[in-house]
Amino acid sequence: NDSMKKSQSIWCAENREKVWTDWMLNGKEIPEKTCANPLEKNLETGKKFKIRGTPTIVFPDGVKNVGMMRAEQLEERLNKK
């Protein structure tokens, strides 16, 4: 699986949005780049909270939502006291 390499190259690109769009929508190769990035830290955080997919939201009360939420559901949950 080369997802980490691709993620790093996109993160390190001069124009991340363009590189990602060119790859996802136009099938262009991702130019290989390296730089300091938060990817390993993100993986560690995911492991700590047992997150195995995206999107996942962990709310302040510890409730975890895995998968997409409708905007109305997310707003309601965020406004819950």
Side-chain angles (χ1 to χ4, degrees):
N1 187 332
D2 64 348
S3 61
M4 183 61 100
K5 185 176 174 182
K6 286 179 179 176
S7 296
Q8 178 176 288
S9 291
I10 292 169
W11 181 269
C12 297
E14 195 170 308
N15 185 336
R16 295 176 191 160
E17 182 179 345
K18 181 178 181 343
V19 171
W20 185 86
T21 300
D22 282 348
W23 173 56
M24 290 297 291
L25 300 180
N26 303 321
K28 290 186 179 180
E29 291 294 317
I30 300 170
E32 196 169 318
K33 294 256 186 176
T34 59
C35 66
N37 63 74
L39 299 174
E40 288 296 330
K41 184 176 180 182
N42 289 352
L43 285 176
E44 291 172 22
T45 301
K47 288 177 186 175
K48 178 180 175 182
F49 290 102
K50 296 182 172 73
I51 296 171
R52 294 184 176 32
T54 57
T56 297
I57 299 174
V58 180
F59 293 98
D61 62 2
V63 172
K64 183 170 36 173
N65 184 81
V66 179
M68 190 188 94
M69 293 178 82
R70 289 191 344 265
E72 300 81 24
Q73 291 174 306
L74 180 58
E75 283 184 39
E76 182 181 315
R77 184 64 178 89
L78 290 172
N79 291 324
K80 187 176 182 179
K81 304 254 183 217

